[in-house]
Amino acid sequence: MPVPRPENPAHVPQLIERDAELAAAAKALDALCGDPSPRGGVLLFRGEAGIGKTALLGEIQLLARDRGCVVWSARGGETVASVAFHVVRHLLQPALAGASDATTRGLLGDWHTSIAPALGITPPNSEVNADPQGVRDGLDTLVGQLAALHRPLVLVVDDLQWSDLETLRWLVPFAGRTGGPPLLLVTAYRVNEAKGETAALLRQLDTTVRRVGIDVVLGPLSPPGTARFAREVLGEHADDPFCREVWAVTGGNLYETVELVARAKEQAIDPVEGTAGSLRPLMDSARPQGLVERLQKMGDNTVNFAFAVAILETDVSLKLAADLAVLGVAEAAECAERLRAARILTGEDEHLEFVHPTVATAVYDAVPHWARRAMHGIAAEILLDDGHSAAAASRHLMEVPPEENPELVEQLRAAHREYVAVGAPDAARLCLERALKEPPLPTVFAQVRYELGKVITLSAPATAAEHLTKALEQPGLDDEQQADAVFLLSQALTHNNQAAEAGQMVAAAAEAAPEGPLRMRLQTVQFLWEGVYASEIDGPARSRRLKEAAAHVQGCDTTEQALLMLRAFDATAIGEDAQAVVEIGDRALVNGSLPAGLTWTDLTWGFEPPALLGLSYAFADQLDRADALFGEARRAFTEAGWSGGHLAFAYALTGYLQRRRGNLVRAEVDLRESVRLAERVGKGLPMHWDAVCMLIDTLLARGLVADAQQVADGFGFHAPYPTTILIPDAASVRGRLLLAQGRTADAIDELEAAGAALKARGRHNTVLAPWALDLARAVAPDDPERAGRLAAYAREKAERFGTNTAIGEAMRCQAELAEGQRKAELLRRAVDFLSSSPCKYEHAAARIELGRAIRSRAELEKGRAHAVDAGAAALVKAADETLRELGFPYGDE
């Protein structure tokens, strides 16, 4: 039964032929209100403009309130799509508006730092920029808590085709959630209107809703449905020719049908065949051009007031619209009443809006081009004068015509900084793109290009490279910005498959810089880029240059400290003395902690230098030091709300550290979490490969070969491997996987390729990349002499590095190639070294092999105990088999 809308002066029923949609909504509401097992859901309605989406969503809200549901709603706006988090702010406003600081902190909890600025509750944090993924995670948590507090909760979002990107990037994955307190999400959008990223996100939403909810494409009214509606409003005597003409004129468009029939009733048109000819001109007067003509007949003040509301569009008060239209409050009130009576505006004086989005678009489009731009400029001034932020005024600033206005450029730059701080890079990008069109003063041009390149380095690397290149060619950047721009440009070029160009650019920039702090900074950037991103460079030459550069550095500033961190890892990779590595690393710290300017959340150098330092400690058997650094990384990223790629990498680091300790179960948990977090950021990214590589290595250590292969298949883990993998060497891990599957020939090929590449780069650390140990085992049956040479090479490099783990593992490999007394002696020595190592998995393996070699129950049981503690099922099985051979099943007395 259609429900009349209270705001409709003609009391026109606005729902026709929507019984199936209402039944689906009622079923979803019944499930949400079910006792004792309420279930949430998602409804999506799509259709052309005026097809009835808004009316349907309004009816669903009434049905929900009739069932006692809490209903919150919001809609996108055509002129506010650039305003970050606009829709989600309005959606959650009932829960947050007017709440005390204690209440909001209680609601937001640990996510307060991340999402309070995004929701407009607190000003942006000037020290730590919010991570976009962290904001989305925080919104997930907040909405889940609100759903638990306000049961049953219904969220309604209309006109998603005009949503801001930040809201859409949150809403689309949120629609597919499966856990948490139940709520009903009801959404709608116009088809064929969204473009670019918005259209792509809406396609993702379609796919998600088809999987977990109900997706409905709304069609036009049928001729019989139109006739029933016309007769219900105009009387049963409305004849068939008249009703057919109503349908023919409107094409079954619900909004036009409702408007046409309402106007026919207002004008007392007799609904018979003889008057049907008046319907088409009557409809023309209700369409955009006709609506504007009606509006113009109401007088200049009313026209200007309507234009002001269209320019402001959202959060429009009578006073704000009056100020923009240059009217007194009394005059504005009269205009508002006139527009309400004409079914153009609705709402109270504190919240004015157009009766339908179609009307809003028509009025906005009717504002003369010159007047529209001028009014946007005045609106920006009003907001800024009233104490609003530059971000709040930015949507108006972007509509002002370019006039070489330095003040507008600075306002847009300020808005960009606010948007970056709250985790809204898309909105920040739009502000800077508009600032470039002004254009900026010559002294500022480079700054704006640098800022824009920084925002889009990962999302649009080719465009970012263009802006950063031009920024470096122009005056205006200080030393720190120049160095940062060089590093960002190297990243952008690398992500755009231009790694060779990136390397040449970094080297040229360092060479061209004058002697002094800038040149040292650029040289350090070059070393960082070469170490992390470039696998094809001359590794030994780079190591010599890095060693020379760091020889007399004491860590007096962040550049020197970063240089020392890079030197520590390079010394680790090439296999220098581990104690010297630790000493170099210690010089980079201040009282044993990361120095200011090189913390995990510092944006100047990024997280790579402290990560490389921690890995240097880990490979030097200083696991406690590494643990302190990696644990701090997780805490820092969590507290900052950086739950995307940064936290994914932190979990990879802690997971790999647990792998080194031999806590394989805990390592697997952390690494799977790293993979999960990385997947949300994107496929095939460096952080993704790092986590996958380390996870496969850990699963192989546990003896879970099938699981390791499943991970490898799921993520395409095979050559060619990204050059950005830090640990462990991907080809070595792939070779180990092939060996575990009995694919020896393939394993040999993979390990030989790994060894050749690493030796060419001068990397000889047998703990970081144990390719020689695995290759020796692989070739031993057919070529024992070569196996011996490989094992001797590994032993030599291990003793040079000097850690108990490296030497013990090398001896264990040599023992596998030996027989009799020599085998036993080598294993005893390996056990001696590994018992002093912090790596209990390797210790367990050596003990079990020693027990098997000398048939010692005691050694087998000691090794088995370590293997059980490590979670190494394959080692436990090997120990048990040998114990059974000795007559001691499973180690029982």
Side-chain angles (χ1 to χ4, degrees), residues 622-638:
Q622 301 296 313
L623 299 190
D624 289 343
R625 296 190 190 199
D627 199 4
L629 284 173
F630 296 160
E632 176 57 29
R634 274 178 51 175
R635 286 190 296 275
F637 294 150
T638 301

Side-chain angles (χ1 to χ4, degrees), residues 412-476:
L412 287 168
R413 291 179 69 196
H416 132 264
R417 288 190 291 272
E418 290 180 46
Y419 281 137
V420 169
V422 301
D426 291 305
R429 168 181 56 81
L430 293 173
C431 290
L432 292 174
E433 287 174 344
R434 171 61 188 83
L436 283 177
K437 294 176 182 177
E438 192 58 17
L441 294 172
T443 54
V444 180
F445 222 114
Q447 297 268 349
V448 179
R449 287 196 179 278
Y450 159 67
E451 290 165 351
L452 180 54
K454 191 170 187 174
V455 168
I456 63 173
T457 296
L458 297 182
S459 61
T463 306
E466 178 183 343
H467 286 300
L468 290 166
T469 299
K470 290 181 178 179
L472 287 165
E473 292 171 350
Q474 297 171 314

Side-chain angles (χ1 to χ4, degrees), residues 612-664:
L612 293 173
L613 176 62
L615 291 170
S616 301
Y617 285 140
F619 290 120
D621 279 0
Q622 301 296 313
L623 299 190
D624 289 343
R625 296 190 190 199
D627 199 4
L629 284 173
F630 296 160
E632 176 57 29
R634 274 178 51 175
R635 286 190 296 275
F637 294 150
T638 301
E639 289 172 5
W642 292 9
S643 59
H646 291 84
L647 192 60
F649 189 65
Y651 268 97
L653 292 174
T654 59
Y656 191 67
L657 182 70
Q658 295 306 321
R659 162 67 181 91
R660 299 303 316 150
R661 285 195 186 278
N663 297 327
L664 302 182

